[in-house]
Amino acid sequence: MPAKPTTAQAPRPPVIVITGHIDHGKSTLLDYIRKTNVVEGEAGGITQHLSAYEVTHKRKDSQGKITEQKITFLDTPGHEAFSGMRERGVSAADIAVLIVSAEDGVKAQTVEALKTVKTAGLPFVVAINKIDKPAANAEKVKQELSEQEVYLEGYGGNVPWVAISAKTGQGVPELLDMILLV
């Protein structure tokens, strides 16, 4: 009897969960990437549900040729009341992006989101957001992350990180490239 044919699964875009403390710019980052303004329609500007979005990222390959790759993003709420939703988002993802505000630093839900990502064994990238703000202090954020045993590349560790402004788009292409590298 001939062997039953197998069907190869079609490749799918990586699933990236965006997580972190409330008001650190998770939805604003996705709005910038998607060229939308979902944040404006959220009650109090606060995400209260899980959302999924697929985008196409254009980048140059090693030969300088422009390539396109799809990425699926999951947006998670940052408010403490929604920890279960963050956990579900992390469980469905391939990679996490931990957003930390360069103004506010590591906060309670940053630590909780980090714990969820680490417990799941999910690879992650740190995005230090709001670098365009006058009170931004990325060095303080890096120190606070090290206190949470997150050791960034270039600072004695191997966790990739990118400084960004979700509002202006500064560093966002580099973040997308880093996500695809991870």
Side-chain angles (χ1 to χ4, degrees), residues 128 136-144 155 161:
I128 300 176
N137 186 345
E139 293 305 314
K140 178 182 171 228
V141 172
K142 294 170 193 174
Q143 177 60 40
E144 291 174 347
Y155 292 84
W161 68 280

Side-chain angles (χ1 to χ4, degrees), residues 76-96:
T76 64
H79 192 278
E80 65 184 321
F82 300 109
S83 63
M85 284 188 200
R86 281 191 298 281
E87 289 173 11
R88 284 190 291 282
V90 167
S91 71
D94 300 311
I95 300 168

